[in-house]
Amino acid sequence: MAFWWPIIVLAFAYAICRFLLMLIPPNVPSIDVDASDVLDDGSQAQENSFIYIPPRGRTQQSDRIQCYEPATMKYLGYFPALTPDAVKERVAQARKAQKIWAKSSFKQRRQFLRILLKYIIEHQELICEVSSRDTGKTMVDASLGEIMTTCEKITWLLSEGEKWLKPEYRASGRSMLHKVSKVEFHPLGVIGAIVSWNYPFHNIFNPMLAAVFSGNSVVIKVSEHASWSGCFYFRIIQSALAAVGAPENLVEVITGFAETGEALVSSVDKIIFVGSPGVGKMIMRKAAETLIPVTLELGGKDAFIVCEDVDIPHVAQVAVRAALQSSGQNCAGAERFYVHKDIYTSFVNQVAKIVKSVSAGPPLAGRYDMGAICMQEHSDKLQSLVDDAVDKGAEIVARGSFGHLGEGVDQFFPPTVLTNVDHTMKLMQEEAFGPIMPIMKFSTDEEVVGLANDSRYGLGCAVFSGSKRRAKMIASQIHCGVAAVNDFASTYMCQSLPFGGVKDSGFGRFGGIEGLRACCLVKSVGEDRWWPYIKTKIPKPIQYPVAENGFEFQESLVEALYGLSIWDRLRSLVNVLKIISEQNTVVGSKRND
């Protein structure tokens, strides 16, 4: 016992020291980011505060991207639509910066993340307000979708990122016992990202964080519907990079239309795309020209399944949040609701009561539950989906209300609940991307699994049941990339998990270990375990010229290594040694002659 006491004391002292070190805050410098031109404090000159009236329908693309607030139609300014040559120049600059950054330490990369995290925490209101102005979402929606998700990703990278980028050792197998086998993760080079408008802050930071932490540079094309906010968020990244001494141009944010995106795809070493299936297919065709890897996140039509043994008031609240988060403009939002017939009426009544209390209006007014629809004319599409469903027998049972909308009246759509829906309706097949809740009843678990899988999308699902085992069983049978059991979208907040879908929801993963390593060149490495004492040598029976019994030797060697019975393997091993001995004897005789 006397031997163990010193070890126990030392271990306890070590644990205490580690705990005390955790209490010491890291030395993280603050950064200054100019936000004077994005703050709406009411002091702007009247001539710089006019209403923008965008042209309706398809218009010819210009050399400028006009930006405005969807909720108020207030003009925000314009940004250049970069030409293909300008894009290639930005990529070339990023490539030079990456060669320097690839040699950076993980300590330097973590400091970059800490500086970003500190700025985000201290400037939450500013970040959310900029997102709200550019996309129409409420401050609460911005906090949930922009701030929390990004902070979660940063903290995961700080705690686990280096571990998953270090060489990973693997088993060497029976024939290579004398080898060390490992997988190395090297930077790919320049990562390109074309991101959507619905969460402009997180959609920039999500690919940027993984790319930069894994030693890459990144060029991000922001959506033409969120260029104003994207260019401000870029300043935050630039300031943090400068604070850690990173090379200029390591991260680039570019603005433009389709031509700009095409030029980016043809110039980088990997492309990440968040958007629609149609554009995703065009990007794949363009990427095929240079054979670069592609990650596609193309939206979804997620099923929200409610069994009869749930707490109805609780699940109803979750369901409404799942449908109305960011005015329904959420790729992982719930778009199809399947409720067991035994609680269907009660559930619908509970949801209808909540939705009727929801009011939509300008988000920065601070008194509305839901904000605006970001894209021009998207409200018309949402209404056409509702009209098609009603024409085919659906019933509108509840709608929310509007506040004072002002000039942005066409940019709002009331939260809407429909019943008596079925899969003949476009609303149950096409991605709506809006605050609509179509609720359909089911009778058996087998039926609801079939309904959930009857979609060309396969991003995610949410399953609710009083029996965890039952919910897990249903979720396991749904063909999708993300599943939440008795919750909604919780998997995205677990940043160790990958995110992505199947079918028209795309392929590849971002987020988690898989997403981090997807930014890497994955290299398999084999080296001698006991060099130079034991190394691979070609046995004489198969040395050139190959001996007559060369195949017999190989046959016995395979049986010796992989035979199912230990006795078969030993017998074959004896035969292998016998053939080698005979071959050595033949070679020796030839030398004597």
Side-chain angles (χ1 to χ4, degrees):
M1 187 65 183
F3 171 77
W4 290 106
W5 269 113
I7 296 176
I8 294 172
V9 171
L10 286 172
F12 182 73
Y14 175 76
I16 292 294
C17 290
R18 287 293 301 268
F19 176 74
L20 292 174
L21 285 172
M22 289 173 60
L23 299 178
I24 302 173
N27 182 22
V28 181
S30 297
I31 55 174
D32 292 321
V33 180
D34 180 18
S36 59
D37 58 339
V38 297
L39 292 171
D40 186 11
D41 57 4
S43 62
Q44 292 175 317
Q46 187 66 32
E47 60 269 20
N48 295 326
S49 182
F50 58 86
I51 299 301
Y52 179 68
I53 303 176
R56 297 182 69 86
R58 281 190 167 273
T59 58
Q60 187 173 359
Q61 295 178 358
S62 69
D63 59 351
R64 290 182 176 184
I65 298 170
Q66 306 292 349
C67 304
Y68 59 93
E69 293 184 15
T72 64
M73 303 308 292
K74 182 179 179 180
Y75 186 64
L76 295 173
Y78 68 87
F79 291 88
L82 295 191
T83 64
D85 288 341
V87 173
K88 291 175 183 177
E89 176 61 26
R90 296 284 186 95
V91 173
Q93 292 173 349
R95 197 173 296 282
K96 290 178 183 178
Q98 189 275 329
K99 294 184 186 304
I100 300 171
W101 183 251
K103 301 172 185 176
S104 64
S105 66
F106 282 110
K107 181 180 179 181
Q108 185 180 12
R109 299 176 194 180
R110 278 193 294 270
Q111 185 71 339
F112 168 63
L113 298 187
R114 291 191 186 100
I115 291 170
L116 287 175
L117 183 61
K118 181 178 181 180
Y119 183 87
I120 293 168
I121 293 171
E122 293 176 352
H123 297 83
Q124 296 180 56
E125 185 175 0
L126 170 63
I127 293 168
C128 290
E129 182 178 327
V130 170
S131 174
S132 178
R133 291 186 67 189
D134 207 13
T135 64
K137 62 170 57 66
T138 65
M139 293 288 282
V140 170
D141 286 345
S143 178
L144 287 168
E146 308 276 28
I147 302 296
M148 287 192 68
T149 51
T150 305
C151 289
E152 190 67 38
K153 187 177 187 75
I154 292 174
T155 52
W156 178 77
L157 283 171
L158 285 171
S159 63
E160 296 190 36
E162 181 179 357
K163 177 177 74 172
W164 296 112
L165 292 175
K166 283 186 172 181
E168 182 178 284
Y169 289 87
R170 306 278 179 91
S172 295
R174 293 180 179 178
S175 63
M176 292 289 134
L177 286 172
H178 62 298
K179 296 287 185 180
V180 172
S181 301
K182 62 181 178 178
V183 182
E184 295 179 347
F185 302 94
H186 301 275
L188 272 174
V190 182
I191 306 292
I194 301 175
V195 298
S196 61
W197 47 264
N198 56 335
Y199 290 102
F201 180 75
H202 181 69
N203 286 345
I204 290 174
F205 273 64
N206 189 30
M208 182 278 296
L209 290 167
V212 171
F213 193 80
S214 54
N216 298 282
S217 59
V218 61
V219 181
I220 305 169
K221 180 199 171 294
V222 292
S223 169
E224 56 268 34
H225 302 291
S227 297
W228 181 76
S229 57
C231 289
F232 168 69
Y233 296 144
F234 179 41
R235 296 180 202 168
I236 302 172
I237 299 168
Q238 285 179 307
S239 298
L241 288 171
V244 297
E248 286 189 60
N249 310 119
L250 184 68
V251 177
E252 292 279 2
V253 168
I254 60 176
T255 53
F257 298 102
E259 183 183 48
T260 305
E262 288 178 12
L264 180 62
V265 175
S266 63
S267 306
V268 295
D269 302 306
K270 174 188 170 71
I271 194 73
I272 299 169
F273 173 72
V274 182
S276 69
V279 178
K281 291 175 183 177
M282 289 190 286
I283 284 175
M284 276 194 69
R285 284 193 289 268
K286 192 67 179 176
E289 295 176 6
T290 50
L291 290 178
I292 61 168
V294 178
T295 295
L296 300 178
E297 197 280 280
L298 307 178
K301 193 74 181 171
D302 290 8
F304 190 105
I305 298 169
V306 184
C307 298
E308 73 278 9
D309 52 357
V310 301
D311 177 355
I312 295 176
H314 165 70
V315 178
Q317 279 287 350
V318 177
V320 174
R321 168 57 67 179
L324 305 190
Q325 165 74 21
S326 196
S327 301
Q329 300 164 116
N330 189 0
C331 59
E335 294 218 0
R336 295 177 292 152
F337 293 83
Y338 301 102
V339 179
H340 195 276
K341 63 178 183 179
D342 291 350
I343 62 165
Y344 185 79
T345 301
S346 299
F347 184 84
V348 169
N349 290 340
Q350 190 72 31
V351 166
K353 179 181 177 182
I354 298 170
V355 169
K356 287 177 181 177
S357 70
V358 174
S359 61
L364 294 182
R367 57 180 181 272
Y368 300 113
D369 309 296
M370 200 179 83
I373 301 298
C374 180
M375 290 181 64
Q376 183 201 3
E377 299 181 21
H378 188 60
S379 293
D380 296 339
K381 178 193 173 183
L382 295 176
Q383 189 58 51
S384 71
L385 291 175
V386 171
D387 292 343
D388 173 77
V390 171
D391 290 343
K392 293 175 180 176
E395 179 184 355
I396 298 174
V397 295
R399 270 192 153 169
S401 60
F402 287 136
H404 177 68
L405 302 184
E407 300 292 339
V409 62
D410 292 336
Q411 298 293 125
F412 290 86
F413 192 86
T416 304
V417 182
L418 294 98
T419 57
N420 299 327
V421 294
D422 59 50
H423 282 211
T424 66
M425 302 170 184
K426 293 179 181 179
L427 183 59
M428 296 296 281
Q429 295 294 334
E430 299 179 9
E431 185 177 30
F433 226 58
I436 306 174
M437 296 183 67
I439 308 177
M440 184 174 176
K441 66 178 67 173
F442 71 91
S443 300
T444 66
D445 292 358
E446 292 75 16
E447 179 190 8
V448 78
V449 168
L451 289 169
N453 286 329
D454 181 25
S455 173
R456 62 191 181 96
Y457 292 98
L459 182 56
C461 70
V463 183
F464 290 79
S465 172
S467 166
K468 183 179 176 181
R469 182 174 179 274
R470 179 185 180 189
K472 288 169 62 178
M473 183 64 70
I474 293 173
S476 69
Q477 298 176 72
I478 298 175
H479 192 48
C480 62
V482 180
V485 174
N486 284 323
D487 206 343
F488 160 73
S490 56
T491 47
Y492 198 78
M493 289 303 296
C494 302
Q495 278 293 316
S496 63
L497 296 176
F499 182 80
V502 294
K503 299 189 283 189
D504 273 17
S505 291
F507 58 83
R509 297 293 182 266
F510 58 74
I513 303 160
E514 292 78 3
L516 183 62
R517 289 178 170 179
C519 295
C520 299
L521 167 63
V522 181
K523 182 182 291 186
S524 299
V525 178
E527 57 189 53
D528 288 303
R529 193 184 300 272
W530 299 290
W531 174 266
Y533 307 106
I534 298 177
K535 52 189 174 183
T536 301
K537 186 176 181 181
I538 307 299
K540 291 190 181 301
I542 59 172
Q543 288 181 3
Y544 290 106
V546 179
E548 291 183 3
N549 58 356
F551 180 74
E552 180 186 353
F553 168 81
Q554 276 298 116
E555 192 174 34
S556 297
L557 181 62
V558 170
E559 291 176 356
L561 290 170
Y562 311 113
L564 298 179
S565 163
I566 184 66
W567 303 113
D568 289 341
R569 295 205 296 271
L570 287 173
R571 186 165 53 250
S572 298
L573 179 60
V574 170
N575 196 39
V576 166
L577 297 174
K578 178 182 176 184
I579 294 172
I580 291 175
S581 177
E582 291 173 353
Q583 191 65 26
N584 286 337
T585 302
V586 171
V587 172
S589 298
K590 288 182 179 179
R591 286 176 180 170
N592 292 333
D593 294 342

